[in-house]
Amino acid sequence: MTPPTLPLTLSPVPSPVSSTLPSTLPIVRTVADLRRHIAGWGGGARVGLVPTMGALHAGHLALVAEARAAGAERVVASLFVNPKQFGPAEDLDRYPRDEAADASSLTGAGCDLLWAPSVADMYPPGFATSIAVAHLGDGLDGAARPGHFDGVAIVVTKLLLAAGPAIAVFGEKDWQQLAIIRRFVADLTLPVEIVGAPIVRDPDGLALSSRNIYLSTDERRRALALPRALAAARDAIVGGAEVAAALAEATAAITAAGFDVPDYVALVDGDLLPMATLAGPGRLLAAARIGTTRLIDNVAVVPR
């Protein structure tokens, strides 16, 4: 039986133009140096920010292209592995880090500046501020990873305030994160346009992730059950199947492939509230662990 087809987003990495790209990407470490460098571009430059935790892949580089497409004249990428969004038993210490390779990739993608602050620069002694977004951060990944989105909210706020971009681009693979960022940016009246970039996938359908390097060859093969189960559930729901039954079938398929029982498989609306029926556009989201690696994915579900 042919597995369900999941529409792929294979965003091309822009070809560098030698006359406009630096041979070595400038790197700054402090907020003061970041602001000084941006000021040197002139007050009229429209700046785009691409926040990352490094271990860059084609999905991250597509965010740079998305910033350009959204009108950014200069693009800043931040590289910061944020300890506040990792739980006590999560992979902070082993999270992949290779700044030199990341800088090289960003140069080829057309980035203008890399900002790589230290933990001490981001969270100096005495740092005591937190930001929480009610409701949107309670379920899904918020329930599976307590405190995670509080850590995301504070670091993204600091990144936006430090760089002062006109545009900030985030990937749609972290759908709940994107919704939370849009909410607190609106609530705090931050003067920035938040742009969501489509998920970039390998040709076989697996969503690109820095954590994919943790997968063994066998786990990588079995991981395809995640996007395929979501695609099958989407097709079933759009075709008129009961939402609960489609979610149960997706959960069973993911588990049968060797994943642990998923943290969640859910159909939600634009406010991340569960949808019992497909009354309008929704998003099908899932998170599950295979071996030591936790993967997330999502797909749009649109009524016919």
Side-chain angles (χ1 to χ4, degrees):
M1 182 176 179
T2 303
T5 300
L6 186 68
L8 306 184
T9 301
L10 299 173
S11 301
V13 176
S15 300
V17 180
S18 59
S19 61
T20 61
L21 295 182
S23 58
T24 303
L25 185 68
I27 301 175
V28 293
R29 307 285 178 185
T30 67
V31 172
D33 285 343
L34 170 70
R35 289 173 172 166
R36 188 158 38 244
H37 199 106
I38 291 174
W41 291 334
R46 187 170 169 83
V47 175
L49 177 67
V50 175
T52 85
M53 293 205 304
L56 303 185
H57 49 65
H60 294 107
L61 304 183
L63 303 183
V64 176
E66 192 74 28
R68 295 285 189 194
E73 297 165 314
R74 300 278 192 167
V75 178
V76 177
S78 64
L79 192 166
F80 180 65
V81 181
N82 177 33
K84 289 188 177 292
Q85 67 190 68
F86 287 78
E90 294 184 339
D91 59 342
L92 174 61
D93 290 339
R94 72 178 185 127
Y95 193 85
R97 295 165 170 86
D98 191 341
E99 182 182 294
D102 291 341
S104 177
S105 295
L106 288 167
T107 301
C111 187
D112 296 287
L113 179 67
L114 174 60
W115 174 32
S118 67
V119 173
D121 193 57
M122 292 295 286
Y123 304 120
F127 189 90
T129 299
S130 62
I131 297 174
V133 180
H135 161 59
L136 290 178
D138 293 343
L140 305 171
D141 257 36
R145 305 177 67 188
H148 170 69
F149 288 119
D150 292 353
V152 170
I154 190 61
V155 77
V156 171
T157 299
K158 286 181 65 70
L159 295 174
L160 294 175
L161 291 175
I167 301 161
V169 185
F170 298 85
E172 291 183 350
K173 183 168 73 70
D174 294 291
W175 186 260
Q176 186 178 15
Q177 172 180 281
L178 179 60
I180 288 170
I181 291 169
R182 283 176 166 151
R183 180 72 269 161
F184 72 69
V185 164
D187 289 349
L188 298 176
T189 324
L190 299 179
V192 59
E193 176 189 355
I194 301 300
V195 175
I199 298 172
V200 179
R201 300 179 180 276
D202 277 331
D204 60 8
L206 189 67
L208 298 188
S209 169
S210 298
R211 290 184 169 94
N212 287 355
I213 66 169
Y214 297 157
L215 299 171
S216 68
T217 301
D218 181 58
E219 289 168 346
R220 173 64 179 74
R221 176 183 58 80
R222 290 186 285 123
L224 294 176
L226 184 62
R228 289 174 179 173
L230 289 179
R234 174 204 59 203
D235 293 346
I237 292 168
V238 172
E242 291 187 0
V243 170
L247 298 182
E249 288 186 16
T251 299
I254 292 166
T255 305
F259 282 85
D260 295 346
V261 175
D263 290 335
Y264 57 84
V265 179
L267 179 67
V268 300
D269 63 15
D271 294 320
L272 300 182
L273 295 173
M275 300 177 72
T277 60
L278 190 62
R283 204 83 181 185
L284 191 57
L285 305 100
R289 187 177 300 274
I290 185 165
T292 63
T293 307
R294 185 175 185 272
L295 300 179
I296 63 173
D297 204 346
N298 68 80
V299 62
V301 184
V302 181
R304 288 174 179 162

